[in-house]
Amino acid sequence: SSYDIDAVANLNSEDVIFGIKSACQSDDSDADYWRCTKTNIPTLTPEIYLLIGDSPKIPEEYESDYRQLLNWFIDMGLGYDRYVHIVYELDGDNEESLRTLAQLGYTRNSCCGAGEPVSKIVHVHDQRSCLTGFAAYGVYGGEREYSLCIQPNPLTDPVWEFDRSINPDQYWYNILHGLIHEYFHHYQRAHIIPVEALPFWIEGAAIVFPDMFLWEKFYELDYTKRNNFKRGDAEDSTYFDSSAPMVCQGFDTYLCDKLVRNYNNVKQGIQENGGQCYLGSREGVGLDGVVRQPQCDWAMSAYYLAYYASHQIMWVDIPRDMWAMGFPAAFQKHVGLTVDEFAVSFSNFMNSGSPDDPPPEGFFTEKPLSELVDFWSLKTNPSGMAQ
């Protein structure tokens, strides 16, 4: 049999000694290969590449704020290998980032010359997206696949010009929320490849986590400390008022009122559209192949999932079993309902009472994440095991 060897070494030492991280059979299935390399197990020393271009338009705080988040993730059991995030200005110095991408085997796509290593930042910029993946030298099969986020500097990217103009101070929290959201997708990917899951779980669960994380860590964030900002009041927040906290003067945000106003708006929308919504693919295709509209709000559906079941079930137990069982079966095992039955339950929940009623106690919980979820349990009881 042929084996793929993953080895590391300190090339700056006088005696270069390679340490073997894994030796896996080349013809293993994707699932077996990921289990062999332990890519689906959290670690305190994850292989993470944060590539920040050298440009006066990218403040030093971008990287330090990002690393603050990553350190917290690692401590709580969200440290997973093979994550790559590049931030750049087209006219900046990106040579070091490009060298690292080339060393990892990142190549230009088929439209621009398949297999050619990237040598210019425009080669990367032309393929920008987040969160996608790539395989070293374009050879897919699990051996050296990475999660990849290609992000032009969000402080100058014209795509976000309107958002920056609405509330430039709050916008940085939106950036942090996006960083957390994309990294959480990386965590999900470590447990669901090659399983297909529905977007209310993929996107919704990855929205709930940064919402709650930023609320809990708000006053510990370096950005908050630098600016002495205040968080909103979940019980009684005023929007668009000069006396209100900065986070309440722009977009709807969890940091203002824990999404109470958004909850009321979603509830009103469901009641005005017949009282029933559905959970399917991004195009509305259900698990039975039938297209049904309107689709339920992904984020609010995920909040309801955590309320109905638990955060542990949503974030840990379902992905733990998805490799072996598939998403529908893993969902039903832990939630006790099929996806369609859950959509009916959510619809009935949102269709009851007045849209102006506050969410029930515990829907937007006050408990810290440490009491709600144990991500480290995926180390001792990992995903992908036979059921």
PDB file of all heavy atoms in Angstrom, residues 260-273:
ATOM      1  N   VAL A 260     -34.164  40.893  19.658  1.00  0.00           N
ATOM      2  CA  VAL A 260     -35.583  40.872  20.019  1.00  0.00           C
ATOM      3  C   VAL A 260     -36.420  41.529  18.929  1.00  0.00           C
ATOM      4  O   VAL A 260     -37.476  41.011  18.534  1.00  0.00           O
ATOM      5  CB  VAL A 260     -35.807  41.571  21.375  1.00  0.00           C
ATOM      6  CG1 VAL A 260     -37.305  41.763  21.638  1.00  0.00           C
ATOM      7  CG2 VAL A 260     -35.168  40.757  22.496  1.00  0.00           C
ATOM      8  N   ARG A 261     -35.967  42.664  18.417  1.00  0.00           N
ATOM      9  CA  ARG A 261     -36.730  43.334  17.365  1.00  0.00           C
ATOM     10  C   ARG A 261     -36.761  42.481  16.099  1.00  0.00           C
ATOM     11  O   ARG A 261     -37.805  42.371  15.432  1.00  0.00           O
ATOM     12  CB  ARG A 261     -36.141  44.710  17.047  1.00  0.00           C
ATOM     13  CG  ARG A 261     -37.008  45.513  16.082  1.00  0.00           C
ATOM     14  CD  ARG A 261     -36.504  46.921  15.906  1.00  0.00           C
ATOM     15  NE  ARG A 261     -35.315  46.971  15.074  1.00  0.00           N
ATOM     16  CZ  ARG A 261     -34.900  48.069  14.451  1.00  0.00           C
ATOM     17  NH1 ARG A 261     -35.582  49.203  14.586  1.00  0.00           N
ATOM     18  NH2 ARG A 261     -33.811  48.057  13.726  1.00  0.00           N
ATOM     19  N   ASN A 262     -35.644  41.846  15.776  1.00  0.00           N
ATOM     20  CA  ASN A 262     -35.609  40.970  14.613  1.00  0.00           C
ATOM     21  C   ASN A 262     -36.534  39.778  14.807  1.00  0.00           C
ATOM     22  O   ASN A 262     -37.218  39.342  13.868  1.00  0.00           O
ATOM     23  CB  ASN A 262     -34.171  40.507  14.361  1.00  0.00           C
ATOM     24  CG  ASN A 262     -34.031  39.650  13.129  1.00  0.00           C
ATOM     25  OD1 ASN A 262     -33.945  38.428  13.239  1.00  0.00           O
ATOM     26  ND2 ASN A 262     -34.009  40.268  11.973  1.00  0.00           N
ATOM     27  N   TYR A 263     -36.576  39.242  16.001  1.00  0.00           N
ATOM     28  CA  TYR A 263     -37.478  38.142  16.336  1.00  0.00           C
ATOM     29  C   TYR A 263     -38.924  38.548  16.064  1.00  0.00           C
ATOM     30  O   TYR A 263     -39.693  37.793  15.445  1.00  0.00           O
ATOM     31  CB  TYR A 263     -37.289  37.770  17.802  1.00  0.00           C
ATOM     32  CG  TYR A 263     -38.349  36.861  18.386  1.00  0.00           C
ATOM     33  CD1 TYR A 263     -38.212  35.481  18.335  1.00  0.00           C
ATOM     34  CD2 TYR A 263     -39.478  37.389  19.015  1.00  0.00           C
ATOM     35  CE1 TYR A 263     -39.177  34.641  18.879  1.00  0.00           C
ATOM     36  CE2 TYR A 263     -40.443  36.565  19.563  1.00  0.00           C
ATOM     37  CZ  TYR A 263     -40.288  35.196  19.501  1.00  0.00           C
ATOM     38  OH  TYR A 263     -41.255  34.371  20.039  1.00  0.00           O
ATOM     39  N   ASN A 264     -39.302  39.746  16.496  1.00  0.00           N
ATOM     40  CA  ASN A 264     -40.669  40.224  16.263  1.00  0.00           C
ATOM     41  C   ASN A 264     -40.954  40.390  14.774  1.00  0.00           C
ATOM     42  O   ASN A 264     -42.056  40.072  14.301  1.00  0.00           O
ATOM     43  CB  ASN A 264     -40.898  41.546  16.989  1.00  0.00           C
ATOM     44  CG  ASN A 264     -40.828  41.429  18.506  1.00  0.00           C
ATOM     45  OD1 ASN A 264     -40.242  42.263  19.185  1.00  0.00           O
ATOM     46  ND2 ASN A 264     -41.416  40.374  19.067  1.00  0.00           N
ATOM     47  N   ASN A 265     -39.955  40.877  14.018  1.00  0.00           N
ATOM     48  CA  ASN A 265     -40.147  41.068  12.575  1.00  0.00           C
ATOM     49  C   ASN A 265     -40.309  39.727  11.851  1.00  0.00           C
ATOM     50  O   ASN A 265     -41.152  39.598  10.950  1.00  0.00           O
ATOM     51  CB  ASN A 265     -38.964  41.842  11.987  1.00  0.00           C
ATOM     52  CG  ASN A 265     -38.932  43.290  12.441  1.00  0.00           C
ATOM     53  OD1 ASN A 265     -39.958  43.846  12.848  1.00  0.00           O
ATOM     54  ND2 ASN A 265     -37.768  43.906  12.383  1.00  0.00           N
ATOM     55  N   VAL A 266     -39.500  38.737  12.231  1.00  0.00           N
ATOM     56  CA  VAL A 266     -39.615  37.413  11.611  1.00  0.00           C
ATOM     57  C   VAL A 266     -40.967  36.800  11.940  1.00  0.00           C
ATOM     58  O   VAL A 266     -41.640  36.211  11.073  1.00  0.00           O
ATOM     59  CB  VAL A 266     -38.462  36.494  12.074  1.00  0.00           C
ATOM     60  CG1 VAL A 266     -38.701  35.055  11.615  1.00  0.00           C
ATOM     61  CG2 VAL A 266     -37.123  36.998  11.542  1.00  0.00           C
ATOM     62  N   LYS A 267     -41.376  36.943  13.172  1.00  0.00           N
ATOM     63  CA  LYS A 267     -42.665  36.402  13.606  1.00  0.00           C
ATOM     64  C   LYS A 267     -43.808  37.043  12.826  1.00  0.00           C
ATOM     65  O   LYS A 267     -44.730  36.360  12.358  1.00  0.00           O
ATOM     66  CB  LYS A 267     -42.838  36.628  15.099  1.00  0.00           C
ATOM     67  CG  LYS A 267     -44.053  35.944  15.717  1.00  0.00           C
ATOM     68  CD  LYS A 267     -44.021  36.047  17.235  1.00  0.00           C
ATOM     69  CE  LYS A 267     -45.182  35.273  17.847  1.00  0.00           C
ATOM     70  NZ  LYS A 267     -45.137  35.286  19.333  1.00  0.00           N
ATOM     71  N   GLN A 268     -43.742  38.347  12.649  1.00  0.00           N
ATOM     72  CA  GLN A 268     -44.773  39.046  11.891  1.00  0.00           C
ATOM     73  C   GLN A 268     -44.791  38.580  10.445  1.00  0.00           C
ATOM     74  O   GLN A 268     -45.861  38.370   9.855  1.00  0.00           O
ATOM     75  CB  GLN A 268     -44.532  40.556  11.949  1.00  0.00           C
ATOM     76  CG  GLN A 268     -45.574  41.366  11.180  1.00  0.00           C
ATOM     77  CD  GLN A 268     -45.368  42.864  11.344  1.00  0.00           C
ATOM     78  OE1 GLN A 268     -44.649  43.310  12.228  1.00  0.00           O
ATOM     79  NE2 GLN A 268     -45.984  43.647  10.481  1.00  0.00           N
ATOM     80  N   GLY A 269     -43.598  38.399   9.850  1.00  0.00           N
ATOM     81  CA  GLY A 269     -43.525  37.959   8.460  1.00  0.00           C
ATOM     82  C   GLY A 269     -44.149  36.593   8.253  1.00  0.00           C
ATOM     83  O   GLY A 269     -44.845  36.356   7.256  1.00  0.00           O
ATOM     84  N   ILE A 270     -43.904  35.660   9.184  1.00  0.00           N
ATOM     85  CA  ILE A 270     -44.479  34.323   9.065  1.00  0.00           C
ATOM     86  C   ILE A 270     -46.002  34.383   9.190  1.00  0.00           C
ATOM     87  O   ILE A 270     -46.736  33.746   8.427  1.00  0.00           O
ATOM     88  CB  ILE A 270     -43.875  33.389  10.128  1.00  0.00           C
ATOM     89  CG1 ILE A 270     -42.410  33.096   9.779  1.00  0.00           C
ATOM     90  CG2 ILE A 270     -44.670  32.082  10.234  1.00  0.00           C
ATOM     91  CD1 ILE A 270     -41.691  32.246  10.800  1.00  0.00           C
ATOM     92  N   GLN A 271     -46.488  35.190  10.126  1.00  0.00           N
ATOM     93  CA  GLN A 271     -47.935  35.288  10.314  1.00  0.00           C
ATOM     94  C   GLN A 271     -48.614  35.948   9.122  1.00  0.00           C
ATOM     95  O   GLN A 271     -49.727  35.587   8.747  1.00  0.00           O
ATOM     96  CB  GLN A 271     -48.243  36.038  11.609  1.00  0.00           C
ATOM     97  CG  GLN A 271     -47.806  35.289  12.863  1.00  0.00           C
ATOM     98  CD  GLN A 271     -48.272  35.946  14.152  1.00  0.00           C
ATOM     99  OE1 GLN A 271     -49.067  36.882  14.145  1.00  0.00           O
ATOM    100  NE2 GLN A 271     -47.780  35.440  15.282  1.00  0.00           N
ATOM    101  N   GLU A 272     -47.938  36.883   8.496  1.00  0.00           N
ATOM    102  CA  GLU A 272     -48.523  37.572   7.343  1.00  0.00           C
ATOM    103  C   GLU A 272     -48.458  36.730   6.069  1.00  0.00           C
ATOM    104  O   GLU A 272     -49.134  37.040   5.090  1.00  0.00           O
ATOM    105  CB  GLU A 272     -47.802  38.907   7.111  1.00  0.00           C
ATOM    106  CG  GLU A 272     -48.100  39.948   8.185  1.00  0.00           C
ATOM    107  CD  GLU A 272     -47.328  41.231   7.958  1.00  0.00           C
ATOM    108  OE1 GLU A 272     -46.427  41.232   7.094  1.00  0.00           O
ATOM    109  OE2 GLU A 272     -47.611  42.229   8.650  1.00  0.00           O
ATOM    110  N   ASN A 273     -47.636  35.665   6.076  1.00  0.00           N
ATOM    111  CA  ASN A 273     -47.487  34.831   4.884  1.00  0.00           C
ATOM    112  C   ASN A 273     -48.088  33.440   5.087  1.00  0.00           C
ATOM    113  O   ASN A 273     -47.577  32.458   4.546  1.00  0.00           O
ATOM    114  CB  ASN A 273     -46.010  34.722   4.498  1.00  0.00           C
ATOM    115  CG  ASN A 273     -45.482  35.994   3.868  1.00  0.00           C
ATOM    116  OD1 ASN A 273     -45.690  36.250   2.691  1.00  0.00           O
ATOM    117  ND2 ASN A 273     -44.797  36.803   4.669  1.00  0.00           N
TER     118      ASN A 273
END
